[in-house]
Amino acid sequence: MNRTSPQPAIERDDNRAAPPLTVDLRSDTVTKPTAEMRRAMAEAEVGDDVYGEDPTINHLEQRAAEIFGREAAIFVPSGTMGNQIAIKIHTRPGQEIICESRAHIFNYEMAMLAHFSGCMARPIPAEDGVLTWPEIKKQIAPKTYYRAQTGLISLENTHNMAGGTVYPQRVADEICDQAHDAGLPVHLDGARIFNAAAAVKRPVKEITLKFDSVMFCLSKGLGAPVGSLLLGSRSFIDQARVYRKALGGGMRQGGILAAAGLIALEKMPARLRDDHDNARFLADGLAQIAGIRIDPAKVVTNIVVFDISGTGLNSVELSQRMAEEGVLANGISPEAMRLVTHMDVDRAGCARALQAIKRACERHATLRRTAQR
Ligand code: TLP
């Protein structure tokens, strides 16, 4: 690094203070730490967490366990690592894991349920990503020696690729109760469980207590730069500590990260309603654009998934056109796009995004009409 550089970028305390040049709706993972988080990181008390001596990580784990009403918690570098450690502990090689077809553990975790745990997914497509016990029950392997046995049921709340949908509590409760009666554990990929809690206006503890294990992310809507927590019984978390180390997730002076995580955990859940309102604003606007299909009533958290097949553009083309106007978004298939609201995008940014999408669609429609003449 050039030490004489007149204005090193790192000098700026809160890089959200300047108006953003781009509106980044690709994910809530893109949030930058707040000034308060950066200060806490700079001042964090640290120690070697592999020896269990990082006071800030220990504090974060204790607070997470308290908030979720669990015996113990473990800080892991990513949601993926948290989910995959849980799967490893709950299953044995050669078993099946029941999940929804669009589940993150099945589609975006590098086939680690096969690679690391030696298991196979038994995916079930479900309306809005929400599985029900009758659907799951049909897919539980009969107890015969010549069928791979079901080892685990994993739910996702909110469901990312279904558009941030939320489990009705009685549906989740019934799955957990019935699964337990059948001798099966249930894991919750609760990457965005605080969004779900904000949507149903209930504490996270109440909506997660029946699950055998819960993973949630600090680094999404809660705005921390890095990290997730895995929660469960004391013996479950003792085993998780072994696998975290085996996967290279022993983070030494990770208190630097946990310090930001503590602020994310304590302070950020209270502002998630704003993200949900912005997502609904986007959904309402998108529903007015010719060629776009979306039911705004289904947008209850911070994720907006919409169908663009009627616009004549595919998701690569639309996202390129949006990027030309400084708005970033990802396609999740050629016909579907995803917008994710978060603390670094305000209402004006969402309005800009709507304008960019509208203009791209209208221009394309005009070009098509001209070409047809
Ligand atoms: N989701 C990311 C991408 O990987 C798709 C995103 O941009 O939404 N569970 C769920 C439900 C998730 O959405 C994610 C990340 C994870 C687990 C994994 O978390 P990380 O990225 O921390 O490994």
Side-chain angles (χ1 to χ4, degrees), residues 19-305:
L21 297 173
T22 52
V23 175
D24 193 345
L25 293 163
R26 287 172 302 169
S27 182
D28 46 10
T29 58
V30 303
T31 49
K32 308 265 175 64
T34 63
E36 186 185 7
M37 286 180 189
R38 286 174 188 267
R39 271 195 302 277
M41 292 171 82
E43 290 160 13
E45 267 190 70
V46 294
D48 191 328
D49 183 53
V50 174
Y51 296 129
E53 289 173 4
D54 189 302
T56 313
I57 291 189
N58 292 342
H59 184 40
L60 174 64
E61 291 176 348
Q62 274 159 18
R63 279 300 292 142
E66 270 165 31
I67 290 169
F68 282 80
R70 296 289 172 148
E71 280 177 17
I74 183 169
F75 184 48
V76 287
S78 68
T80 300
M81 193 187 283
N83 279 337
Q84 293 303 326
I85 289 174
I87 289 168
K88 178 76 181 169
I89 297 170
H90 286 305
T91 60
R92 288 201 313 275
Q95 290 188 326
E96 292 187 353
I97 298 161
I98 291 180
C99 60
E100 205 275 332
S101 305
R102 290 164 288 175
H104 197 278
I105 61 158
F106 176 45
N107 295 285
Y108 302 98
E109 298 192 7
M110 315 306 291
M112 276 292 273
L113 46 83
H115 191 162
F116 183 48
S117 295
C119 290
M120 215 169 68
R122 174 69 56 183
I124 309 174
E127 173 90 13
D128 298 327
V130 173
L131 288 170
T132 62
W133 174 251
E135 288 161 342
I136 291 173
K137 193 177 166 197
K138 277 188 251 162
Q139 299 298 334
I140 294 175
K143 291 215 177 313
T144 58
Y145 81 91
Y146 48 82
R147 261 297 304 272
Q149 291 296 289
T150 306
L152 175 67
I153 296 164
S154 182
L155 307 186
E156 190 173 309
N157 194 19
T158 68
H159 194 299
N160 184 353
M161 291 299 155
T165 48
V166 177
Y167 264 85
Q169 199 53 41
R170 58 179 171 75
V171 175
D173 285 349
E174 187 187 13
I175 292 172
C176 291
D177 290 341
Q178 298 284 349
H180 293 153
D181 286 351
L184 289 170
V186 190
H187 171 67
L188 176 65
D189 176 350
R192 297 184 178 83
I193 197 64
F194 282 93
N195 295 87
V200 299
K201 299 191 175 71
R202 289 177 70 176
V204 284
K205 179 175 166 175
E206 270 180 38
I207 65 174
T208 60
L209 213 49
K210 284 182 188 262
F211 290 86
D212 297 271
S213 53
V214 179
M215 184 286 292
F216 76 93
C217 295
L218 299 164
S219 61
K220 299 198 165 54
L222 301 183
V226 179
S228 295
L229 282 127
L230 179 61
L231 302 131
S233 67
R234 172 83 49 207
S235 76
F236 180 88
I237 296 302
D238 286 347
Q239 293 172 72
R241 223 165 272 288
V242 176
Y243 287 120
R244 183 187 67 173
K245 186 70 178 71
L247 289 171
M251 289 184 286
R252 307 297 178 183
Q253 286 75 40
I256 299 266
L257 302 173
L262 272 163
I263 293 165
L265 181 62
E266 304 284 4
K267 298 202 170 166
M268 304 311 264
R271 56 154 309 286
L272 292 174
R273 289 285 332 158
D274 294 349
D275 299 343
H276 299 181
D277 291 347
N278 282 337
R280 185 58 187 265
F281 169 78
L282 282 170
D284 287 337
L286 288 166
Q288 308 297 316
I289 299 174
I292 287 181
R293 258 195 315 131
I294 182 167
D295 178 356
K298 289 194 172 177
V299 177
V300 294
T301 62
N302 69 329
I303 302 181
V304 185
V305 171

Side-chain angles (χ1 to χ4, degrees), residues 313 321 324-325 356-370:
L313 289 164
R321 278 162 215 197
E324 284 158 18
E325 301 210 29
I357 297 168
K358 190 161 186 270
R359 261 196 297 274
C361 294
E362 284 174 357
R363 274 194 203 131
H364 188 69
T366 312
L367 281 175
R368 278 210 300 187
R369 276 197 299 275
T370 319

